[in-house]
Amino acid sequence: MLTASKIGQLFAESSSHQGSMDIDTISQLTTWIETGNILALEMASWSQHLPDHWLPLVVYTATGGPLMTYQNASIAAIWTYYRAARISLQRHLLDLRQTLASLVGDNQACDVHRDAALEEIQEMTTDTCRSIPFSLGDIDALGQTIPASAEGRPPIRALYGYLMLWPLWYVLTFGMGTAAQMEQIRSALGRVGSVLGIKLALMLAQQGSMSQHATALTPNPYRFVPSTS
């Protein structure tokens, strides 16, 4: 919780800064980046201090694709928020480093950290998508399919569907996963809205669709593109 509070403070301070392009601005940017790097390390080490029953379990479906399951839906929701926070932090650091590079005229310094940041973002996005089937109640902790009710409602409470909204929305609006991953997240939001009756989820899914369209018109310079080699 303390680390999350510090991340929020970093976002608030650096996003509202309106300083001039001088040595003080460069110094402030450097300080924010250093602070962000420390927070990123704290976030990355969070899982090392968790008991085993809090850790995700990787299971394989009949088609061979890996998914992630958890002891319960509450733990799954916390992991979804955690991954969204790490994605947000790394994206913010990318922007801060790019701003600093443009001021000092040294893009190489920015590029050194770019690949590692994008790799972490992609890992967090992938794990978020792998967790969706469990979070929606499609599979149990062992990866076995859970039949839907006669009404088609998934076996999860609306509360857990609601808890998924904002972290999934953050990941979707950043648009830094593959096209298939972004569509999976958008579809999950739409399903939470239509099946569980949460209208906000439908609104977020629709806005996410519009955001994806805007991204297609104005490409995200950090967006992950699978290698064709």
Side-chain angles (χ1 to χ4, degrees), residues 157-194:
R157 293 161 55 188
L159 170 63
Y160 294 123
Y162 189 83
L163 288 175
M164 292 175 60
L165 296 189
W166 292 113
L168 289 182
W169 165 243
Y170 292 146
V171 177
L172 180 63
T173 52
F174 282 128
M176 298 181 69
T178 65
Q181 288 173 334
M182 297 298 96
E183 176 60 25
Q184 181 185 3
I185 295 173
R186 188 195 65 77
S187 296
L189 287 171
R191 185 178 169 201
V192 168
S194 61

PDB file of all heavy atoms in Angstrom, residues 157-194:
ATOM      1  N   ARG A 157     -19.516 -13.588  -8.599  1.00  0.00           N
ATOM      2  CA  ARG A 157     -20.388 -12.535  -8.107  1.00  0.00           C
ATOM      3  C   ARG A 157     -20.101 -11.240  -8.854  1.00  0.00           C
ATOM      4  O   ARG A 157     -18.992 -10.995  -9.331  1.00  0.00           O
ATOM      5  CB  ARG A 157     -20.159 -12.348  -6.614  1.00  0.00           C
ATOM      6  CG  ARG A 157     -20.604 -13.541  -5.779  1.00  0.00           C
ATOM      7  CD  ARG A 157     -19.971 -13.536  -4.405  1.00  0.00           C
ATOM      8  NE  ARG A 157     -20.212 -12.281  -3.695  1.00  0.00           N
ATOM      9  CZ  ARG A 157     -19.638 -11.976  -2.534  1.00  0.00           C
ATOM     10  NH1 ARG A 157     -18.792 -12.824  -1.974  1.00  0.00           N
ATOM     11  NH2 ARG A 157     -19.901 -10.835  -1.936  1.00  0.00           N
ATOM     12  N   ALA A 158     -21.122 -10.402  -8.946  1.00  0.00           N
ATOM     13  CA  ALA A 158     -20.973  -9.126  -9.643  1.00  0.00           C
ATOM     14  C   ALA A 158     -19.869  -8.282  -9.019  1.00  0.00           C
ATOM     15  O   ALA A 158     -19.195  -7.510  -9.712  1.00  0.00           O
ATOM     16  CB  ALA A 158     -22.295  -8.367  -9.623  1.00  0.00           C
ATOM     17  N   LEU A 159     -19.648  -8.447  -7.712  1.00  0.00           N
ATOM     18  CA  LEU A 159     -18.602  -7.681  -7.035  1.00  0.00           C
ATOM     19  C   LEU A 159     -17.250  -7.924  -7.674  1.00  0.00           C
ATOM     20  O   LEU A 159     -16.484  -6.988  -7.928  1.00  0.00           O
ATOM     21  CB  LEU A 159     -18.554  -8.058  -5.551  1.00  0.00           C
ATOM     22  CG  LEU A 159     -17.356  -7.506  -4.760  1.00  0.00           C
ATOM     23  CD1 LEU A 159     -17.389  -5.985  -4.738  1.00  0.00           C
ATOM     24  CD2 LEU A 159     -17.345  -8.066  -3.339  1.00  0.00           C
ATOM     25  N   TYR A 160     -16.937  -9.196  -7.955  1.00  0.00           N
ATOM     26  CA  TYR A 160     -15.635  -9.506  -8.537  1.00  0.00           C
ATOM     27  C   TYR A 160     -15.546  -9.016  -9.980  1.00  0.00           C
ATOM     28  O   TYR A 160     -14.475  -8.630 -10.450  1.00  0.00           O
ATOM     29  CB  TYR A 160     -15.372 -11.008  -8.452  1.00  0.00           C
ATOM     30  CG  TYR A 160     -15.237 -11.494  -7.027  1.00  0.00           C
ATOM     31  CD1 TYR A 160     -16.058 -12.498  -6.527  1.00  0.00           C
ATOM     32  CD2 TYR A 160     -14.304 -10.926  -6.172  1.00  0.00           C
ATOM     33  CE1 TYR A 160     -15.942 -12.929  -5.210  1.00  0.00           C
ATOM     34  CE2 TYR A 160     -14.184 -11.347  -4.862  1.00  0.00           C
ATOM     35  CZ  TYR A 160     -15.008 -12.346  -4.385  1.00  0.00           C
ATOM     36  OH  TYR A 160     -14.887 -12.754  -3.081  1.00  0.00           O
ATOM     37  N   GLY A 161     -16.672  -9.035 -10.673  1.00  0.00           N
ATOM     38  CA  GLY A 161     -16.680  -8.462 -12.012  1.00  0.00           C
ATOM     39  C   GLY A 161     -16.393  -6.975 -11.962  1.00  0.00           C
ATOM     40  O   GLY A 161     -15.632  -6.444 -12.778  1.00  0.00           O
ATOM     41  N   TYR A 162     -16.975  -6.305 -10.973  1.00  0.00           N
ATOM     42  CA  TYR A 162     -16.757  -4.867 -10.826  1.00  0.00           C
ATOM     43  C   TYR A 162     -15.304  -4.566 -10.463  1.00  0.00           C
ATOM     44  O   TYR A 162     -14.721  -3.591 -10.945  1.00  0.00           O
ATOM     45  CB  TYR A 162     -17.688  -4.303  -9.755  1.00  0.00           C
ATOM     46  CG  TYR A 162     -17.676  -2.794  -9.688  1.00  0.00           C
ATOM     47  CD1 TYR A 162     -18.453  -2.034 -10.556  1.00  0.00           C
ATOM     48  CD2 TYR A 162     -16.865  -2.125  -8.776  1.00  0.00           C
ATOM     49  CE1 TYR A 162     -18.432  -0.651 -10.516  1.00  0.00           C
ATOM     50  CE2 TYR A 162     -16.834  -0.743  -8.728  1.00  0.00           C
ATOM     51  CZ  TYR A 162     -17.621  -0.009  -9.600  1.00  0.00           C
ATOM     52  OH  TYR A 162     -17.581   1.358  -9.567  1.00  0.00           O
ATOM     53  N   LEU A 163     -14.704  -5.411  -9.624  1.00  0.00           N
ATOM     54  CA  LEU A 163     -13.318  -5.192  -9.224  1.00  0.00           C
ATOM     55  C   LEU A 163     -12.356  -5.261 -10.404  1.00  0.00           C
ATOM     56  O   LEU A 163     -11.276  -4.670 -10.377  1.00  0.00           O
ATOM     57  CB  LEU A 163     -12.907  -6.220  -8.164  1.00  0.00           C
ATOM     58  CG  LEU A 163     -13.508  -6.049  -6.767  1.00  0.00           C
ATOM     59  CD1 LEU A 163     -13.104  -7.208  -5.871  1.00  0.00           C
ATOM     60  CD2 LEU A 163     -13.066  -4.722  -6.153  1.00  0.00           C
ATOM     61  N   MET A 164     -12.745  -5.985 -11.442  1.00  0.00           N
ATOM     62  CA  MET A 164     -11.878  -6.129 -12.611  1.00  0.00           C
ATOM     63  C   MET A 164     -11.907  -4.918 -13.532  1.00  0.00           C
ATOM     64  O   MET A 164     -11.011  -4.741 -14.362  1.00  0.00           O
ATOM     65  CB  MET A 164     -12.297  -7.365 -13.421  1.00  0.00           C
ATOM     66  CG  MET A 164     -12.042  -8.690 -12.750  1.00  0.00           C
ATOM     67  SD  MET A 164     -12.716 -10.028 -13.749  1.00  0.00           S
ATOM     68  CE  MET A 164     -11.794  -9.818 -15.283  1.00  0.00           C
ATOM     69  N   LEU A 165     -12.940  -4.093 -13.409  1.00  0.00           N
ATOM     70  CA  LEU A 165     -13.171  -3.056 -14.409  1.00  0.00           C
ATOM     71  C   LEU A 165     -11.998  -2.107 -14.601  1.00  0.00           C
ATOM     72  O   LEU A 165     -11.481  -1.945 -15.708  1.00  0.00           O
ATOM     73  CB  LEU A 165     -14.424  -2.245 -14.049  1.00  0.00           C
ATOM     74  CG  LEU A 165     -15.748  -2.994 -14.039  1.00  0.00           C
ATOM     75  CD1 LEU A 165     -16.900  -2.009 -13.875  1.00  0.00           C
ATOM     76  CD2 LEU A 165     -15.922  -3.811 -15.307  1.00  0.00           C
ATOM     77  N   TRP A 166     -11.589  -1.453 -13.512  1.00  0.00           N
ATOM     78  CA  TRP A 166     -10.609  -0.383 -13.676  1.00  0.00           C
ATOM     79  C   TRP A 166      -9.223  -0.883 -14.058  1.00  0.00           C
ATOM     80  O   TRP A 166      -8.595  -0.300 -14.953  1.00  0.00           O
ATOM     81  CB  TRP A 166     -10.574   0.492 -12.421  1.00  0.00           C
ATOM     82  CG  TRP A 166     -11.854   1.247 -12.273  1.00  0.00           C
ATOM     83  CD1 TRP A 166     -12.798   1.094 -11.301  1.00  0.00           C
ATOM     84  CD2 TRP A 166     -12.373   2.246 -13.163  1.00  0.00           C
ATOM     85  NE1 TRP A 166     -13.865   1.924 -11.530  1.00  0.00           N
ATOM     86  CE2 TRP A 166     -13.633   2.647 -12.663  1.00  0.00           C
ATOM     87  CE3 TRP A 166     -11.903   2.827 -14.335  1.00  0.00           C
ATOM     88  CZ2 TRP A 166     -14.417   3.610 -13.288  1.00  0.00           C
ATOM     89  CZ3 TRP A 166     -12.685   3.791 -14.964  1.00  0.00           C
ATOM     90  CH2 TRP A 166     -13.920   4.172 -14.440  1.00  0.00           C
ATOM     91  N   PRO A 167      -8.700  -1.953 -13.453  1.00  0.00           N
ATOM     92  CA  PRO A 167      -7.385  -2.412 -13.924  1.00  0.00           C
ATOM     93  C   PRO A 167      -7.408  -2.868 -15.380  1.00  0.00           C
ATOM     94  O   PRO A 167      -6.474  -2.586 -16.133  1.00  0.00           O
ATOM     95  CB  PRO A 167      -7.041  -3.567 -12.974  1.00  0.00           C
ATOM     96  CG  PRO A 167      -8.316  -3.960 -12.329  1.00  0.00           C
ATOM     97  CD  PRO A 167      -9.136  -2.717 -12.269  1.00  0.00           C
ATOM     98  N   LEU A 168      -8.481  -3.548 -15.796  1.00  0.00           N
ATOM     99  CA  LEU A 168      -8.566  -3.951 -17.202  1.00  0.00           C
ATOM    100  C   LEU A 168      -8.683  -2.730 -18.106  1.00  0.00           C
ATOM    101  O   LEU A 168      -8.101  -2.688 -19.201  1.00  0.00           O
ATOM    102  CB  LEU A 168      -9.761  -4.881 -17.419  1.00  0.00           C
ATOM    103  CG  LEU A 168      -9.648  -6.290 -16.840  1.00  0.00           C
ATOM    104  CD1 LEU A 168     -10.896  -7.101 -17.176  1.00  0.00           C
ATOM    105  CD2 LEU A 168      -8.401  -7.010 -17.355  1.00  0.00           C
ATOM    106  N   TRP A 169      -9.413  -1.742 -17.649  1.00  0.00           N
ATOM    107  CA  TRP A 169      -9.570  -0.506 -18.423  1.00  0.00           C
ATOM    108  C   TRP A 169      -8.228   0.202 -18.590  1.00  0.00           C
ATOM    109  O   TRP A 169      -7.890   0.680 -19.673  1.00  0.00           O
ATOM    110  CB  TRP A 169     -10.578   0.390 -17.729  1.00  0.00           C
ATOM    111  CG  TRP A 169     -10.605   1.820 -18.178  1.00  0.00           C
ATOM    112  CD1 TRP A 169     -10.316   2.922 -17.432  1.00  0.00           C
ATOM    113  CD2 TRP A 169     -10.953   2.319 -19.475  1.00  0.00           C
ATOM    114  NE1 TRP A 169     -10.452   4.066 -18.168  1.00  0.00           N
ATOM    115  CE2 TRP A 169     -10.842   3.727 -19.435  1.00  0.00           C
ATOM    116  CE3 TRP A 169     -11.332   1.713 -20.667  1.00  0.00           C
ATOM    117  CZ2 TRP A 169     -11.105   4.534 -20.531  1.00  0.00           C
ATOM    118  CZ3 TRP A 169     -11.599   2.521 -21.771  1.00  0.00           C
ATOM    119  CH2 TRP A 169     -11.487   3.907 -21.695  1.00  0.00           C
ATOM    120  N   TYR A 170      -7.441   0.264 -17.508  1.00  0.00           N
ATOM    121  CA  TYR A 170      -6.124   0.891 -17.602  1.00  0.00           C
ATOM    122  C   TYR A 170      -5.251   0.171 -18.627  1.00  0.00           C
ATOM    123  O   TYR A 170      -4.609   0.800 -19.472  1.00  0.00           O
ATOM    124  CB  TYR A 170      -5.422   0.869 -16.239  1.00  0.00           C
ATOM    125  CG  TYR A 170      -6.053   1.751 -15.193  1.00  0.00           C
ATOM    126  CD1 TYR A 170      -6.059   1.380 -13.851  1.00  0.00           C
ATOM    127  CD2 TYR A 170      -6.652   2.955 -15.534  1.00  0.00           C
ATOM    128  CE1 TYR A 170      -6.650   2.179 -12.884  1.00  0.00           C
ATOM    129  CE2 TYR A 170      -7.245   3.761 -14.570  1.00  0.00           C
ATOM    130  CZ  TYR A 170      -7.242   3.364 -13.247  1.00  0.00           C
ATOM    131  OH  TYR A 170      -7.821   4.156 -12.300  1.00  0.00           O
ATOM    132  N   VAL A 171      -5.221  -1.145 -18.549  1.00  0.00           N
ATOM    133  CA  VAL A 171      -4.392  -1.918 -19.483  1.00  0.00           C
ATOM    134  C   VAL A 171      -4.871  -1.703 -20.914  1.00  0.00           C
ATOM    135  O   VAL A 171      -4.070  -1.550 -21.841  1.00  0.00           O
ATOM    136  CB  VAL A 171      -4.426  -3.416 -19.121  1.00  0.00           C
ATOM    137  CG1 VAL A 171      -3.616  -4.226 -20.132  1.00  0.00           C
ATOM    138  CG2 VAL A 171      -3.868  -3.645 -17.717  1.00  0.00           C
ATOM    139  N   LEU A 172      -6.185  -1.665 -21.093  1.00  0.00           N
ATOM    140  CA  LEU A 172      -6.748  -1.485 -22.429  1.00  0.00           C
ATOM    141  C   LEU A 172      -6.418  -0.118 -23.006  1.00  0.00           C
ATOM    142  O   LEU A 172      -6.016  -0.004 -24.170  1.00  0.00           O
ATOM    143  CB  LEU A 172      -8.265  -1.681 -22.377  1.00  0.00           C
ATOM    144  CG  LEU A 172      -9.029  -1.528 -23.702  1.00  0.00           C
ATOM    145  CD1 LEU A 172      -8.584  -2.583 -24.700  1.00  0.00           C
ATOM    146  CD2 LEU A 172     -10.531  -1.626 -23.461  1.00  0.00           C
ATOM    147  N   THR A 173      -6.576   0.934 -22.213  1.00  0.00           N
ATOM    148  CA  THR A 173      -6.367   2.279 -22.735  1.00  0.00           C
ATOM    149  C   THR A 173      -4.901   2.566 -23.029  1.00  0.00           C
ATOM    150  O   THR A 173      -4.596   3.367 -23.912  1.00  0.00           O
ATOM    151  CB  THR A 173      -6.901   3.344 -21.758  1.00  0.00           C
ATOM    152  OG1 THR A 173      -6.353   3.116 -20.452  1.00  0.00           O
ATOM    153  CG2 THR A 173      -8.410   3.283 -21.677  1.00  0.00           C
ATOM    154  N   PHE A 174      -3.992   1.907 -22.317  1.00  0.00           N
ATOM    155  CA  PHE A 174      -2.583   2.077 -22.655  1.00  0.00           C
ATOM    156  C   PHE A 174      -2.291   1.470 -24.021  1.00  0.00           C
ATOM    157  O   PHE A 174      -1.401   1.928 -24.735  1.00  0.00           O
ATOM    158  CB  PHE A 174      -1.680   1.441 -21.595  1.00  0.00           C
ATOM    159  CG  PHE A 174      -1.537   2.269 -20.356  1.00  0.00           C
ATOM    160  CD1 PHE A 174      -1.780   1.728 -19.107  1.00  0.00           C
ATOM    161  CD2 PHE A 174      -1.165   3.597 -20.432  1.00  0.00           C
ATOM    162  CE1 PHE A 174      -1.655   2.493 -17.958  1.00  0.00           C
ATOM    163  CE2 PHE A 174      -1.033   4.373 -19.294  1.00  0.00           C
ATOM    164  CZ  PHE A 174      -1.287   3.821 -18.054  1.00  0.00           C
ATOM    165  N   GLY A 175      -3.038   0.436 -24.403  1.00  0.00           N
ATOM    166  CA  GLY A 175      -2.925  -0.137 -25.738  1.00  0.00           C
ATOM    167  C   GLY A 175      -1.546  -0.643 -26.090  1.00  0.00           C
ATOM    168  O   GLY A 175      -1.108  -0.533 -27.237  1.00  0.00           O
ATOM    169  N   MET A 176      -0.841  -1.222 -25.121  1.00  0.00           N
ATOM    170  CA  MET A 176       0.546  -1.609 -25.356  1.00  0.00           C
ATOM    171  C   MET A 176       0.740  -3.113 -25.474  1.00  0.00           C
ATOM    172  O   MET A 176       1.859  -3.609 -25.439  1.00  0.00           O
ATOM    173  CB  MET A 176       1.432  -1.029 -24.258  1.00  0.00           C
ATOM    174  CG  MET A 176       1.405   0.493 -24.242  1.00  0.00           C
ATOM    175  SD  MET A 176       2.443   1.229 -22.983  1.00  0.00           S
ATOM    176  CE  MET A 176       4.062   0.829 -23.616  1.00  0.00           C
ATOM    177  N   GLY A 177      -0.358  -3.855 -25.608  1.00  0.00           N
ATOM    178  CA  GLY A 177      -0.256  -5.282 -25.868  1.00  0.00           C
ATOM    179  C   GLY A 177      -0.463  -5.555 -27.344  1.00  0.00           C
ATOM    180  O   GLY A 177      -0.506  -4.637 -28.169  1.00  0.00           O
ATOM    181  N   THR A 178      -0.598  -6.810 -27.691  1.00  0.00           N
ATOM    182  CA  THR A 178      -0.894  -7.157 -29.075  1.00  0.00           C
ATOM    183  C   THR A 178      -2.355  -6.838 -29.368  1.00  0.00           C
ATOM    184  O   THR A 178      -3.167  -6.630 -28.456  1.00  0.00           O
ATOM    185  CB  THR A 178      -0.642  -8.649 -29.327  1.00  0.00           C
ATOM    186  OG1 THR A 178      -1.579  -9.416 -28.545  1.00  0.00           O
ATOM    187  CG2 THR A 178       0.778  -9.045 -28.929  1.00  0.00           C
ATOM    188  N   ALA A 179      -2.707  -6.820 -30.638  1.00  0.00           N
ATOM    189  CA  ALA A 179      -4.091  -6.550 -31.019  1.00  0.00           C
ATOM    190  C   ALA A 179      -5.028  -7.604 -30.428  1.00  0.00           C
ATOM    191  O   ALA A 179      -6.134  -7.287 -29.971  1.00  0.00           O
ATOM    192  CB  ALA A 179      -4.214  -6.514 -32.544  1.00  0.00           C
ATOM    193  N   ALA A 180      -4.582  -8.864 -30.414  1.00  0.00           N
ATOM    194  CA  ALA A 180      -5.407  -9.940 -29.864  1.00  0.00           C
ATOM    195  C   ALA A 180      -5.621  -9.759 -28.365  1.00  0.00           C
ATOM    196  O   ALA A 180      -6.712 -10.012 -27.844  1.00  0.00           O
ATOM    197  CB  ALA A 180      -4.752 -11.296 -30.144  1.00  0.00           C
ATOM    198  N   GLN A 181      -4.593  -9.314 -27.652  1.00  0.00           N
ATOM    199  CA  GLN A 181      -4.717  -9.095 -26.213  1.00  0.00           C
ATOM    200  C   GLN A 181      -5.671  -7.947 -25.913  1.00  0.00           C
ATOM    201  O   GLN A 181      -6.499  -8.029 -24.999  1.00  0.00           O
ATOM    202  CB  GLN A 181      -3.344  -8.821 -25.606  1.00  0.00           C
ATOM    203  CG  GLN A 181      -2.451 -10.044 -25.547  1.00  0.00           C
ATOM    204  CD  GLN A 181      -1.042  -9.713 -25.106  1.00  0.00           C
ATOM    205  OE1 GLN A 181      -0.568  -8.585 -25.288  1.00  0.00           O
ATOM    206  NE2 GLN A 181      -0.350 -10.681 -24.529  1.00  0.00           N
ATOM    207  N   MET A 182      -5.567  -6.873 -26.685  1.00  0.00           N
ATOM    208  CA  MET A 182      -6.460  -5.745 -26.470  1.00  0.00           C
ATOM    209  C   MET A 182      -7.912  -6.133 -26.744  1.00  0.00           C
ATOM    210  O   MET A 182      -8.828  -5.725 -26.027  1.00  0.00           O
ATOM    211  CB  MET A 182      -6.049  -4.572 -27.367  1.00  0.00           C
ATOM    212  CG  MET A 182      -4.656  -4.001 -27.075  1.00  0.00           C
ATOM    213  SD  MET A 182      -4.472  -3.312 -25.393  1.00  0.00           S
ATOM    214  CE  MET A 182      -3.732  -4.707 -24.515  1.00  0.00           C
ATOM    215  N   GLU A 183      -8.121  -6.964 -27.752  1.00  0.00           N
ATOM    216  CA  GLU A 183      -9.474  -7.422 -28.058  1.00  0.00           C
ATOM    217  C   GLU A 183      -9.993  -8.338 -26.957  1.00  0.00           C
ATOM    218  O   GLU A 183     -11.181  -8.287 -26.597  1.00  0.00           O
ATOM    219  CB  GLU A 183      -9.489  -8.147 -29.402  1.00  0.00           C
ATOM    220  CG  GLU A 183     -10.843  -8.746 -29.776  1.00  0.00           C
ATOM    221  CD  GLU A 183     -11.954  -7.713 -29.871  1.00  0.00           C
ATOM    222  OE1 GLU A 183     -11.652  -6.522 -30.111  1.00  0.00           O
ATOM    223  OE2 GLU A 183     -13.128  -8.092 -29.706  1.00  0.00           O
ATOM    224  N   GLN A 184      -9.127  -9.173 -26.398  1.00  0.00           N
ATOM    225  CA  GLN A 184      -9.544 -10.054 -25.308  1.00  0.00           C
ATOM    226  C   GLN A 184      -9.991  -9.244 -24.094  1.00  0.00           C
ATOM    227  O   GLN A 184     -11.008  -9.557 -23.463  1.00  0.00           O
ATOM    228  CB  GLN A 184      -8.406 -10.992 -24.904  1.00  0.00           C
ATOM    229  CG  GLN A 184      -8.792 -11.959 -23.782  1.00  0.00           C
ATOM    230  CD  GLN A 184      -7.631 -12.813 -23.303  1.00  0.00           C
ATOM    231  OE1 GLN A 184      -6.493 -12.654 -23.760  1.00  0.00           O
ATOM    232  NE2 GLN A 184      -7.895 -13.723 -22.379  1.00  0.00           N
ATOM    233  N   ILE A 185      -9.243  -8.200 -23.767  1.00  0.00           N
ATOM    234  CA  ILE A 185      -9.594  -7.369 -22.616  1.00  0.00           C
ATOM    235  C   ILE A 185     -10.888  -6.604 -22.885  1.00  0.00           C
ATOM    236  O   ILE A 185     -11.768  -6.518 -22.026  1.00  0.00           O
ATOM    237  CB  ILE A 185      -8.444  -6.403 -22.281  1.00  0.00           C
ATOM    238  CG1 ILE A 185      -7.213  -7.192 -21.817  1.00  0.00           C
ATOM    239  CG2 ILE A 185      -8.873  -5.407 -21.204  1.00  0.00           C
ATOM    240  CD1 ILE A 185      -5.978  -6.342 -21.621  1.00  0.00           C
ATOM    241  N   ARG A 186     -11.013  -6.061 -24.089  1.00  0.00           N
ATOM    242  CA  ARG A 186     -12.239  -5.341 -24.431  1.00  0.00           C
ATOM    243  C   ARG A 186     -13.452  -6.267 -24.364  1.00  0.00           C
ATOM    244  O   ARG A 186     -14.513  -5.898 -23.845  1.00  0.00           O
ATOM    245  CB  ARG A 186     -12.121  -4.735 -25.832  1.00  0.00           C
ATOM    246  CG  ARG A 186     -13.278  -3.803 -26.198  1.00  0.00           C
ATOM    247  CD  ARG A 186     -13.310  -3.523 -27.681  1.00  0.00           C
ATOM    248  NE  ARG A 186     -13.601  -4.737 -28.431  1.00  0.00           N
ATOM    249  CZ  ARG A 186     -14.818  -5.267 -28.538  1.00  0.00           C
ATOM    250  NH1 ARG A 186     -15.851  -4.705 -27.934  1.00  0.00           N
ATOM    251  NH2 ARG A 186     -15.004  -6.371 -29.231  1.00  0.00           N
ATOM    252  N   SER A 187     -13.285  -7.485 -24.866  1.00  0.00           N
ATOM    253  CA  SER A 187     -14.379  -8.455 -24.831  1.00  0.00           C
ATOM    254  C   SER A 187     -14.733  -8.843 -23.398  1.00  0.00           C
ATOM    255  O   SER A 187     -15.906  -9.055 -23.072  1.00  0.00           O
ATOM    256  CB  SER A 187     -13.998  -9.698 -25.631  1.00  0.00           C
ATOM    257  OG  SER A 187     -13.812  -9.389 -26.997  1.00  0.00           O
ATOM    258  N   ALA A 188     -13.707  -8.948 -22.535  1.00  0.00           N
ATOM    259  CA  ALA A 188     -13.959  -9.281 -21.130  1.00  0.00           C
ATOM    260  C   ALA A 188     -14.782  -8.188 -20.462  1.00  0.00           C
ATOM    261  O   ALA A 188     -15.725  -8.467 -19.711  1.00  0.00           O
ATOM    262  CB  ALA A 188     -12.635  -9.483 -20.396  1.00  0.00           C
ATOM    263  N   LEU A 189     -14.444  -6.934 -20.741  1.00  0.00           N
ATOM    264  CA  LEU A 189     -15.223  -5.822 -20.187  1.00  0.00           C
ATOM    265  C   LEU A 189     -16.662  -5.871 -20.691  1.00  0.00           C
ATOM    266  O   LEU A 189     -17.613  -5.683 -19.926  1.00  0.00           O
ATOM    267  CB  LEU A 189     -14.575  -4.491 -20.562  1.00  0.00           C
ATOM    268  CG  LEU A 189     -13.284  -4.126 -19.830  1.00  0.00           C
ATOM    269  CD1 LEU A 189     -12.636  -2.898 -20.470  1.00  0.00           C
ATOM    270  CD2 LEU A 189     -13.549  -3.868 -18.358  1.00  0.00           C
ATOM    271  N   GLY A 190     -16.809  -6.138 -21.986  1.00  0.00           N
ATOM    272  CA  GLY A 190     -18.143  -6.219 -22.554  1.00  0.00           C
ATOM    273  C   GLY A 190     -18.958  -7.345 -21.947  1.00  0.00           C
ATOM    274  O   GLY A 190     -20.160  -7.209 -21.699  1.00  0.00           O
ATOM    275  N   ARG A 191     -18.298  -8.459 -21.683  1.00  0.00           N
ATOM    276  CA  ARG A 191     -18.999  -9.602 -21.097  1.00  0.00           C
ATOM    277  C   ARG A 191     -19.419  -9.312 -19.661  1.00  0.00           C
ATOM    278  O   ARG A 191     -20.525  -9.669 -19.245  1.00  0.00           O
ATOM    279  CB  ARG A 191     -18.090 -10.827 -21.145  1.00  0.00           C
ATOM    280  CG  ARG A 191     -18.771 -12.094 -20.663  1.00  0.00           C
ATOM    281  CD  ARG A 191     -17.851 -13.277 -20.783  1.00  0.00           C
ATOM    282  NE  ARG A 191     -18.392 -14.432 -20.091  1.00  0.00           N
ATOM    283  CZ  ARG A 191     -17.664 -15.449 -19.682  1.00  0.00           C
ATOM    284  NH1 ARG A 191     -16.362 -15.452 -19.896  1.00  0.00           N
ATOM    285  NH2 ARG A 191     -18.222 -16.465 -19.060  1.00  0.00           N
ATOM    286  N   VAL A 192     -18.542  -8.674 -18.899  1.00  0.00           N
ATOM    287  CA  VAL A 192     -18.901  -8.302 -17.532  1.00  0.00           C
ATOM    288  C   VAL A 192     -20.131  -7.394 -17.545  1.00  0.00           C
ATOM    289  O   VAL A 192     -21.033  -7.518 -16.717  1.00  0.00           O
ATOM    290  CB  VAL A 192     -17.721  -7.599 -16.833  1.00  0.00           C
ATOM    291  CG1 VAL A 192     -18.170  -6.954 -15.524  1.00  0.00           C
ATOM    292  CG2 VAL A 192     -16.598  -8.593 -16.561  1.00  0.00           C
ATOM    293  N   GLY A 193     -20.170  -6.501 -18.528  1.00  0.00           N
ATOM    294  CA  GLY A 193     -21.300  -5.591 -18.614  1.00  0.00           C
ATOM    295  C   GLY A 193     -22.587  -6.268 -19.025  1.00  0.00           C
ATOM    296  O   GLY A 193     -23.641  -6.061 -18.408  1.00  0.00           O
ATOM    297  N   SER A 194     -22.525  -7.106 -20.055  1.00  0.00           N
ATOM    298  CA  SER A 194     -23.748  -7.704 -20.591  1.00  0.00           C
ATOM    299  C   SER A 194     -24.267  -8.854 -19.741  1.00  0.00           C
ATOM    300  O   SER A 194     -25.478  -9.007 -19.559  1.00  0.00           O
ATOM    301  CB  SER A 194     -23.503  -8.189 -22.027  1.00  0.00           C
ATOM    302  OG  SER A 194     -22.479  -9.176 -22.057  1.00  0.00           O
TER     303      SER A 194
END
